[in-house]
Structure formats: structure tokens, C-alpha cells
Amino acid sequence: MAGATGHVGGAIARILAEAGEPVRALVRDAGRQGLDSRVTWVPADLNKPSTVAAALPGVTAMFMMAGYPGLSEVLDAARGAGVRRIVLLSSLSAADGDTSNVIARYHIESEETIRASDLPYSFLRPPTFMTNTLQWASTIRDGGVVRATFPDVPMAVIDPQDIAAVAAVELREASGDSHVHELSGPQAMTPKDRIDVLSDVLGHRIGFEGLTDEQSAKVLHEQMPAAYAEAILKFFAEGTTDESPVRPTVEQLTGRPPATFRQWAEANVGEFR
């Protein structure tokens, strides 16, 4: 599996390992091997497909990330090694089909490449992660005012642990069917809604300032390459992607409801203190 040191991939590895499933995780940095002794850590880089091929014998299903240029070569190797399913962490933006948007484009292209491979697949399309809230952690710890982009845009933010739980189900899928799953958390929330929950969990009021679209654009352009800033502005200032719908997918596939933002905040409260 790819991304095993990230929020979603790490949780997938833990879920499968705790269930006694064999997990083989790709890691670029050999120094990060052994993070979980129940996982077999294999040095490999998705940007170098030849390094991935050596890790594939005996693998039956693969968890993949979007946006790697060598994906078709990895898939060829996977098919040759007997892999029977690809589970891709995609994005809700892929549903729009807007290849002029650089973020949507790499998810769309990754999905298209997997479809063309003729391997059964499961595409997971989540909205914004609850863990994105951690970008405010240092400001909150310092007692500052959180200045949030797109303050009036509701998003059904999702706990990456719930994405991982769905991925674990799909990695075990034995049929040859392919699936596209649009995911969500249990409630559409604005940034101020999340701040209110954090204030309650922390027991003190957190200062909040909602930025205008113009201010949001300035902040984004300072933080990232222009193409990515413009992509995010399209999503949330222009409204090309709607992350507000609450979907039943997580509960349907895992048998339990997705975590609320309050539950996530309580579990991660130490990050904000």
C-alpha cells in the first residue's frame, strides 16, 4: 500500500494489521521503516515504478494515491503480479470532470488510468479532511485569532479514520466489481462551526475572523503555487465543488456512523493546547 505514513494510509495499515491481515507498506524514506512492527515496510517510490514492482509478488489488493505520473506502469506490474483490486484515494472534485482545475485534473487522470487498466477498482471520493483543522493549531495554542478562508462555505468534513475504514473494507472486496464511493462526515459545517466546537472542547473562546474571497486568494497565493491556489478558489469561491452533502456511504460500508467533528476534536484536543 502507498501513503502508509499519512493520515489515511497509516490508519488503513493499523486497521488491517489489528485484524491480522498481512500489510506491505511502501516507504520512500528507509529510516521510517518499522513504524509499526506488524507491517512489512518496503523501500519504494511511486515516482519510480520499477521500485514498486519488486514489492508486488503475493499482493492481492493495493491502496494507491492519485497524481503519480508512473501510475500506468505500476498498474501493469500489479496486473502481472496477480493484484486483483486497486483502491484509490481520489477526491469529490473528480466528479466534476473539470480538467482545467489542476487539483481535479490529477484525480480525474488517475481514475481514468485505473479504469483503462481493466483491474477492478474502488475509488474513494472524500470531502475536506477534519485533520485540515490542524492548520489552526499553532494559532489556537498561542491564543491568537483564527483567520479562515471561505468562512461561509459548509463542508461535510470527514475524519481520515473513516476513509481508512472504508478503504479497509474495499481492499477485502472479493468480487470483480468496480465501485465509486462518495464519502462525507455526518454534518455540513462552516469554519466558524468548527471553531465553536473547538472552543467548547477546549473550554475557552477562540477568536475567529472570516476572510473575504479576495483576502482568501491572497493567503492561498502566499502559501502555495498559483495553479493550486486558483484550483481551491474555483472549488470554494466559485463553488464548482459542493462538499456540503451528507452521504450515508461510511455507515453503509462499515456498519457504523462516521465520527462527528466533536469526536475528532476530543480525540485530538492535545494538538490545540
Side-chain angles (χ1 to χ4, degrees):
M1 63 174 292
T5 58
H7 288 297
V8 175
I12 297 170
R14 176 184 53 76
I15 290 167
L16 293 176
E18 287 177 352
E21 301 277 2
V23 181
R24 191 176 301 169
L26 308 182
V27 61
R28 281 181 289 188
D29 180 0
R32 302 192 76 176
Q33 296 180 53
L35 294 175
D36 187 328
S37 61
R38 300 167 299 183
V39 174
T40 301
W41 297 86
V42 181
D45 186 342
L46 288 175
N47 288 311
K48 300 174 182 177
S50 62
T51 67
V52 178
L56 292 175
V59 171
T60 57
M62 292 179 67
F63 175 74
M64 300 289 294
M65 313 288 285
Y68 288 89
L71 179 58
S72 61
E73 295 172 62
V74 171
L75 294 170
D76 287 343
R79 189 169 49 250
V83 172
R84 299 194 293 270
R85 176 167 298 275
I86 303 296
V87 178
L88 176 73
L89 179 59
S90 187
S91 165
L92 281 176
S93 65
D96 299 334
D98 180 10
T99 56
S100 69
N101 182 303
V102 67
I103 295 176
R105 182 170 67 241
Y106 75 76
H107 289 102
I108 292 165
E109 290 177 348
S110 294
E111 288 190 3
E112 289 176 345
T113 300
I114 292 170
R115 285 191 179 97
S117 76
D118 291 328
L119 283 165
Y121 59 79
S122 298
F123 297 154
L124 310 185
R125 295 176 174 175
T128 295
F129 293 5
M130 291 180 183
T131 46
N132 285 15
T133 308
L134 294 171
Q135 68 186 307
W136 301 334
S138 62
T139 299
I140 293 171
R141 286 196 301 268
D142 294 341
V145 174
V146 170
R147 302 176 74 243
T149 56
F150 317 115
D152 299 321
V153 176
M155 305 172 190
V157 290
I158 188 169
D159 187 340
Q161 302 283 332
D162 289 323
I163 303 172
V166 170
V169 169
E170 292 300 294
L171 286 164
R172 296 180 175 112
E173 170 65 69
S175 78
D177 298 334
S178 291
H179 313 287
V180 178
H181 295 303
E182 294 189 342
L183 311 177
S184 81
Q187 179 185 7
M189 305 179 75
T190 64
K192 181 60 164 57
D193 292 332
R194 284 184 277 157
I195 286 294
D196 287 344
V197 171
L198 282 170
S199 294
D200 191 43
V201 169
L202 289 166
H204 64 81
R205 181 181 175 278
I206 299 168
F208 178 84
E209 177 188 349
L211 302 181
T212 65
D213 287 348
E214 292 75 16
Q215 291 171 321
S216 296
K218 183 175 185 296
V219 167
L220 291 171
H221 279 279
E222 289 172 349
Q223 293 176 341
M224 62 190 69
Y228 285 86
E230 291 301 320
I232 294 172
L233 287 164
K234 275 190 174 183
F235 291 153
F236 302 123
E238 298 179 23
T240 60
T241 296
D242 182 5
E243 294 196 356
S244 65
V246 173
R247 297 175 170 89
T249 319
V250 170
E251 185 164 10
Q252 288 174 342
L253 292 174
T254 68
R256 59 164 181 77
T260 65
F261 183 74
R262 177 175 293 273
Q263 289 171 321
W264 178 88
E266 290 172 345
N268 293 276
V269 68
E271 299 287 346
F272 300 93
R273 285 181 169 153

